[in-house]
Amino acid sequence: MIKVLVWCENIQNKTQEDVIAVYPEGMHNTIANFLREDPDISVEVATLDDPNCGITEEKIANIDVVLWWGHVGHNKVPDDIVEILYTNVVKRGMGIMCLHSAHYSKIFKRLMGTSCSLHIPPPGLGAEKLWTLLPGHPIAQGIPNPVEIETEECYNEFFDIPQPDELVFNAAFVNCGSFRAGAAYHRGRGKVFYFQPGHETVPVYRQKEIQDIIFNAVYWANNKTKNK
Amino acid sequence: MIKVLVWCENIQNKTQEDVIAVYPEGMHNTIANFLREDPDISVEVATLDDPNCGITEEKIANIDVVLWWGHVGHNKVPDDIVEILYTNVVKRGMGIMCLHSAHYSKIFKRLMGTSCSLHIPPPGLGAEKLWTLLPGHPIAQGIPNPVEIETEECYNEFFDIPQPDELVFNAAFVNCGSFRAGAAYHRGRGKVFYFQPGHETVPVYRQKEIQDIIFNAVYWANNKTKNK
Amino acid sequence: MIKVLVWCENIQNKTQEDVIAVYPEGMHNTIANFLREDPDISVEVATLDDPNCGITEEKIANIDVVLWWGHVGHNKVPDDIVEILYTNVVKRGMGIMCLHSAHYSKIFKRLMGTSCSLHIPPPGLGAEKLWTLLPGHPIAQGIPNPVEIETEECYNEFFDIPQPDELVFNAAFVNCGSFRAGAAYHRGRGKVFYFQPGHETVPVYRQKEIQDIIFNAVYWANNKTKNK
Amino acid sequence: MIKVLVWCENIQNKTQEDVIAVYPEGMHNTIANFLREDPDISVEVATLDDPNCGITEEKIANIDVVLWWGHVGHNKVPDDIVEILYTNVVKRGMGIMCLHSAHYSKIFKRLMGTSCSLHIPPPGLGAEKLWTLLPGHPIAQGIPNPVEIETEECYNEFFDIPQPDELVFNAAFVNCGSFRAGAAYHRGRGKVFYFQPGHETVPVYRQKEIQDIIFNAVYWANNKTKNK
């Protein structure tokens, strides 16, 4: 059993009509619900609305993989929560997946050591193709090449991240935009995966191929040994 | 079920007394036998004694991971056999593990694009410690750090390989010797793992930790998808 | 003084009107001529028309960096010439830059250990933007981000190369095409740079930014020490 | 002209007899003095004794490469000084070299995103060999393989750093110890080099090969363009 925590700031999910229209149940629940279809994965959710962001040392000590989505509320996450996440990744080997605008979350910047800034040239939204660069990587197994996304936010280089240990996916957007969309890292004993799709106003987390990639990444990020 | 082929040139195994003393059943059988204890792995063996090296396109098309041990007989492997192996790794996604002196096998040199030469300073044999550099890597799961090997051949840098995608283990030997001992690569759709321990006159393949690493590497190198 | 050899197969340059229209002097001469403007670089050219491809062991032993352009004539280059190039890169530390369709040259495939195949989806030609992923890399110094190319051949993933040691540039094309366009490798003692722009029917080698990248790459690939 | 700042905490240099015996002029001055022999390098020094650690935004804005040595005083460096260094590396492209015990400096941990912890098994001090893994790397030019160091502190894996972009040197110590001793990274627009030799009680910075490596690394870390 892989124990997953899906975390979402849950701000725009409550206040912004175009987000509510796409994810009425809240993005974290969208993600949690499709993960729950796998009987080998158990899923909890937590948000900024929970006391202490829904995160305690005791709770995290029992989690194998965290999925993190944040955007307008990055600074509402207290530094001591970030340290709990960081320590569990680096020292205990917990996996973490930072989704879309979580490129700018405190925990991702902490783990990368760079600014993690990026560009969003006009148009803000457009078609995306997600290209597999490592067809033998566990995260790419069974994924078509390319994955076509009808509409996504046009993230663009220069994306200020360290060179990934494994650059699994590269995204291309309208107007010859380019972005490292699926980047895998070792950090201490843990694994980190950044995955770009997931803008709050488009139903990309309902797309089968995106769900398959997230499933693959959960299995990849989980590094429990037989011995444990 | 992961379908494994253990290949060994089987020359010194038959003619050299100090090798026969250590591996009377033949190294390939030593390796095959411990792998067979896992009910999820099926194992075949093949050697230079078999017609066509025991390798045909039909047979290889059904193999998930090849383990390759060669030393004095590298040039006895015909080029068309090497091309079958190469094509199955790069185009079909078969995994391959090159063991010890197989650093100089035709297939490893073909996949690396470098000379794959190394140095063996005196003494030829000595104590080794195998250090884990990526504790979160699947191949390192459950492996003590370091693994202590009583006696091994003292391989040394400069080892002319491309920078590994993931340098999992580093070996240190007596007299401050150093060697990249566990090196993981993507090549096309397949995965390649070079693993240094395995000199023919020492019983290293009977050591539990070495067997555990080889088990881990078999699972890592196998990239069958759920879809297949 | 950096001693450069610009090699070109020089086939389409002689027979194909749309190539002659763009590069009447021959591509190799276009490249050689702009490199010659740097007084610290000396340049020779060679082609398939020269005896032995214009390559001998004595001549290559004195070259610091080779630029290689080939397309329809890859198989006209004898294997022993490829071995001379290979040995000088890996054993002596000569730099080599493989340009555009030289992704499929014998020497590039030899150094990569993969098939080096790629896709060219429709349209064959279109606009390209070349994005810098490593702004601190010597090859990216002084280069605008992106470099806009009016028309190039639309190379696309999956490009079957090993993960670069340094992925300096990524190209995006019309219709959300994506390609690893500037890939840097260590191979043995030498350095290898693959650079995608350079289709024979477009004047990309006359574009200032492309010339600047090639200049930077010549300096990067040259690894003469002060001691030598 | 490459503008270098050599920074040292300058604590043990003043209070500890065995350090004073080896570096009576202070380590920073030892390093600064040999760098000053190159007319293309200008050198300043700064220490914890200077107001504000000798670091201001104005001063750093004019520096190309910082060399940083710290040990018992890491926590005496204020966080805002660390941010000045960090911003200049990542945003402006300043190079930084973290020496020996500076593996645990705030700035190195900030740039790595990991704990940067390591082990020091007994004996504390012993012989070291420094092996070149990338003979074509600019930092390895002209350096013998191995470099033999009579006595150094026995740093050992697991060294909790991200996989280097380029692992240039690997150290081996007595008793089969192993350590990634020369690790090169891109971080944003800047370059980072970690270099292990430099214990305060041994005269390793007076050794010619070590000085040559530091020279090479200064040139490598400086990324001024011709355009600037």
Side-chain angles (χ1 to χ4, degrees), chain B residues 170-184:
Chain B
N170 219 3
F173 292 91
V174 287
N175 295 347
C176 301
S178 181
F179 193 73
R180 283 167 288 177

Side-chain angles (χ1 to χ4, degrees), chain C residues 35-212:
Chain C
L35 288 174
R36 284 185 182 120
E37 290 172 23
D38 183 332
D40 294 328
I41 297 178
S42 73
V43 186
E44 290 177 83
V45 298
T47 73
L48 270 181
D49 301 331
D50 296 309
N52 215 32
C53 299
I55 287 172
T56 63
E57 293 213 21
E58 295 68 33
K59 185 174 177 177
I60 287 292
N62 201 29
I63 294 290
D64 298 312
V65 182
V66 168
L67 278 67
W68 192 270
W69 198 101
H71 183 201
V72 299
H74 292 319
N75 285 328
K76 296 190 194 301
V77 180
D79 288 348
D80 60 332
I81 296 298
V82 177
E83 283 308 300
I84 291 174
L85 293 167
Y86 172 82
T87 301
N88 274 272
V89 171
V90 169
K91 293 290 184 189
R92 187 175 61 83
M94 183 178 75
I96 190 163
M97 210 182 309
C98 291
L99 298 169
H100 189 63
S101 43
H103 74 90
Y104 238 32
S105 61
K106 287 181 176 180
I107 181 61
F108 189 61
K109 292 193 286 187
R110 179 87 168 84
L111 286 162
M112 293 294 105
T114 53
S115 73
C116 300
S117 62
L118 52 79
H119 289 277
I120 306 181
L125 298 179
E128 171 179 356
K129 289 185 186 173
L130 196 59
W131 297 95
T132 294
L133 306 188
L134 286 173
H137 196 282
I139 299 180
Q141 293 313 299
I143 306 302
N145 191 12
V147 174
E148 310 229 12
I149 300 174
E150 202 178 300
T151 311
E152 245 299 344
E153 194 171 23
C154 300
Y155 276 15
N156 207 92
E157 303 287 345
F158 173 59
F159 182 23
D160 184 15
I161 49 172
Q163 285 210 120
D165 289 328
E166 298 177 304
L167 181 56
V168 186
F169 301 113
N170 219 1
F173 293 91
V174 288
N175 295 346
C176 300
S178 181
F179 193 73
R180 283 169 287 176
Y185 297 89
H186 292 269
R187 283 296 179 266
R189 298 184 173 277
K191 285 189 250 177
V192 181
F193 188 57
Y194 174 77
F195 190 47
Q196 159 266 321
H199 188 59
E200 63 271 15
T201 65
V202 294
V204 72
Y205 289 132
R206 303 196 191 283
Q207 185 169 338
K208 177 67 166 54
E209 297 98 328
I210 301 301
Q211 294 181 355
D212 284 348

Side-chain angles (χ1 to χ4, degrees), chain A residues 13-24:
Chain A
N13 286 315
K14 293 182 302 184
T15 60
Q16 205 172 313
E17 277 190 29
D18 54 351
V19 180
I20 296 168
V22 175
Y23 294 112

Side-chain angles (χ1 to χ4, degrees), chain A residues 105-165:
Chain A
S105 60
K106 288 181 176 180
I107 181 60
F108 190 61
K109 291 193 285 187
R110 179 87 169 82
L111 287 162
M112 293 293 104
T114 54
S115 73
C116 300
S117 61
L118 51 80
H119 289 278
I120 306 182
L125 298 179
E128 171 179 355
K129 289 185 186 172
L130 196 59
W131 297 95
T132 294
L133 306 188
L134 285 174
H137 195 281
I139 299 180
Q141 293 313 299
I143 307 302
N145 192 10
V147 174
E148 311 229 12
I149 300 175
E150 201 177 302
T151 312
E152 246 299 344
E153 195 171 22
C154 298
Y155 276 16
N156 207 92
E157 303 288 344
F158 173 59
F159 183 23
D160 183 16
I161 49 171
Q163 285 210 119
D165 289 329

Side-chain angles (χ1 to χ4, degrees), chain A residues 83-96:
Chain A
E83 282 308 299
I84 291 175
L85 292 168
Y86 172 81
T87 302
N88 274 272
V89 171
V90 169
K91 293 291 185 190
R92 186 175 61 84
M94 183 178 74
I96 191 164

